[in-house]
């Protein structure tokens, strides 16, 4: 199978290309230099030249706070750009996978969001434009996967784990938000699941994160616990204290969801193997990076 992967320079796109290649698929990774998704002509030329059997659309504007100051630009990338890709997938009758986000939901309450919940009420520009991308796909295509992910970390790029490790080196006390709940997602694990999915025709909306839920505070504590267990004493409790605080201690331009619990039962129902626990993912990830 030949698969076009957008956003290949990002954490996830990089790992998806690697996983597809391991499976002997022909993976063609593109970024803005090869295909500007905001330009329909560029999308048409690239996709027709590649002539893939499927597209995995990872490219997106993901700078959440910056998005609040440039709504039109973000909408061109996340909504119009996605619509452009979907139009070509429809024209060529090829399957499309769209990587979406927990931010399409309002983030209220404590229940787990279901993949097919239609009451999507994004809190910020990033979430709203990713939601508009979902709508474009649903309106244009039948052969699509919408896969919502959250709290992503991978080797190829910036993420929460790298930020915490860097801060922990230079501070003896950190405060981390404790009232936003979700599930971390390791791109290496996620890429394997996405490859499993794109090899099938079990279309629809899905949620895909590592198993288990935590707060950002609990996530940080586990990162430091495991780093200390690897012999890095600067991260142990004698050298570094981590205290929980509520989100209002860190005012931001974009409002964040407090509840990003997402149900993954649909993966099981369709025969897909769910990802390992987020704690297990952190352990494997720390062995992959230099810190």
């Amino acid at each position: 199978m030949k698969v076009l992967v957008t956003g290949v320079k990002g954490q996830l796109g990089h790992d998806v290309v690697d996983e597809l290649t391991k499976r002997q698929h022909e993976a063609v990774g593109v970024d803005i230099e090869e295909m500007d998704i905001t330009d329909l002509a560029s999308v048409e030329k690239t996709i027709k030249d590649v002539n893939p059997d499927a597209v995995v659309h990872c490219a997106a504007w993901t700078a959440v706070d910056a998005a609040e100051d440039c709504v039109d630009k973000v909408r061109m990338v996340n909504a119009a750009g996605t619509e452009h890709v979907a139009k070509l997938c429809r024209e060529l009758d090829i399957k499309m996978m769209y990587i979406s986000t927990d931010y399409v939901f309002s983030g209220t309450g404590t229940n787990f969001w279901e993949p097919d919940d239609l009451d999507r009420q994004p809190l910020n520009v990033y979430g709203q434009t990713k939601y508009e991308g979902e709508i474009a796909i649903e309106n244009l295509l039948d052969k699509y996967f919408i896969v919502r992910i959250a709290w992503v970390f991978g080797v190829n790029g910036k993420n929460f784990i790298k930020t915490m490790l860097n801060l922990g080196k230079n501070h003896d006390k950190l405060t981390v938000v404790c009232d936003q709940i979700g599930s971390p997602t390791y791109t290496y694990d996620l890429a394997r699941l996405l490859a499993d999915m794109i090899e099938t025709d079990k279309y629809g909306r899905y949620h895909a994160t590592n198993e288990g839920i935590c707060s950002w505070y609990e996530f940080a504590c586990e990162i430091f616990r495991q780093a200390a267990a690897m012999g890095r004493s600067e991260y142990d409790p004698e050298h570094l204290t981590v205290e929980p605080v509520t989100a209002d201690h860190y005012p931001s331009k974009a409002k964040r969801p407090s509840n990003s619990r997402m149900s993954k039962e649909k993966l099981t129902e369709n025969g897909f193997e769910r990802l390992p626990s987020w704690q297990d993912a952190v352990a494997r990830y720390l062995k992959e990076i230099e810190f």
Side-chain angles (χ1 to χ4, degrees):
M1 182 167 64
K2 182 187 281 190
V3 184
L4 178 70
V5 181
T6 70
V8 71
K9 288 185 175 178
Q11 294 184 94
L12 180 57
H14 177 270
D15 284 0
V16 169
V17 167
D18 280 355
E19 181 61 29
L20 290 168
T21 302
K22 284 179 193 173
R23 299 186 185 202
Q24 308 302 311
H25 296 303
E26 184 180 351
V28 181
V30 296
D31 219 287
I32 189 169
E33 293 84 359
E34 297 82 19
M35 184 175 84
D36 179 357
I37 62 172
T38 67
D39 179 355
L40 180 58
S42 174
V43 173
E44 180 174 21
K45 182 181 187 308
T46 303
I47 294 182
K48 286 186 174 179
D49 285 350
V50 174
N51 192 27
D53 302 298
V55 174
V56 179
H57 183 39
C58 301
W61 178 296
T62 57
V64 177
D65 285 324
E68 299 294 308
D69 293 327
C70 42
V71 180
D72 291 343
K73 188 181 294 185
V74 179
R75 180 163 281 123
M76 277 301 299
V77 175
N78 290 348
T82 300
E83 183 176 3
H84 293 159
V85 176
K87 283 180 176 177
L88 267 296
C89 288
R90 181 180 64 180
E91 180 181 338
L92 300 176
D93 191 29
I94 56 179
K95 64 179 82 172
M96 178 176 176
M97 176 177 283
Y98 173 57
I99 307 304
S100 192
T101 171
D102 57 306
Y103 278 43
V104 301
F105 296 115
S106 66
T108 58
T110 57
N111 291 335
F112 282 74
W113 301 105
E114 296 292 339
D116 294 317
D117 283 339
L118 296 179
D119 187 21
R120 293 162 281 186
Q121 299 181 38
L123 299 176
N124 53 44
V125 170
Y126 167 66
Q128 177 63 32
T129 56
K130 291 294 288 182
Y131 165 64
E132 290 167 9
E134 290 190 6
I135 295 300
I137 287 171
E138 292 166 1
N139 288 340
L140 286 166
L141 300 175
D142 296 315
K143 295 161 62 173
Y144 69 82
F145 301 88
I146 291 173
V147 184
R148 300 190 188 106
I149 64 175
W151 297 22
V152 176
F153 62 94
V155 173
N156 188 47
K158 298 177 181 178
N159 57 62
F160 181 76
I161 295 181
K162 290 181 179 179
T163 298
M164 288 296 104
L165 291 171
N166 286 332
L167 288 172
K169 282 180 185 176
N170 304 308
H171 296 78
D172 57 11
K173 179 180 176 182
L174 295 175
T175 56
V176 184
V177 171
C178 65
D179 57 350
Q180 294 173 351
I181 307 298
S183 300
T185 311
Y186 184 15
T187 55
Y188 175 82
D189 293 341
L190 178 60
R192 290 161 62 200
L193 173 59
L194 298 181
D196 287 346
M197 296 173 79
I198 204 69
E199 290 172 342
T200 75
D201 58 0
K202 296 178 180 179
Y203 304 119
R205 306 180 194 92
Y206 293 88
H207 293 159
T209 63
N210 283 91
E211 289 297 300
I213 60 171
C214 60
S215 67
W216 290 110
Y217 165 73
E218 291 167 328
F219 192 7
C221 288
E222 181 66 11
I223 293 163
F224 296 136
R225 185 193 71 76
Q226 292 199 25
M230 294 172 68
R232 298 294 294 270
S233 60
E234 66 266 41
Y235 298 113
D236 68 29
E238 293 183 9
H239 296 90
L240 178 62
T241 302
V242 187
E243 293 188 357
V245 295
T246 55
D248 55 17
H249 281 73
Y250 289 105
S252 59
K253 285 188 177 182
K255 189 173 181 182
R256 262 73 169 176
S258 60
N259 174 26
S260 289
R261 299 170 177 89
M262 296 198 294
S263 171
K264 296 180 283 284
E265 291 301 317
K266 193 171 178 180
L267 290 173
T268 305
E269 291 165 3
N270 283 278
F272 296 118
E273 185 176 347
R274 284 156 70 160
L275 306 187
S277 73
W278 66 266
Q279 295 95 331
D280 176 78
V282 170
R284 287 179 287 117
Y285 179 72
L286 290 179
K287 293 174 182 175
E288 290 291 325
I289 63 171
E290 294 183 10
F291 65 96

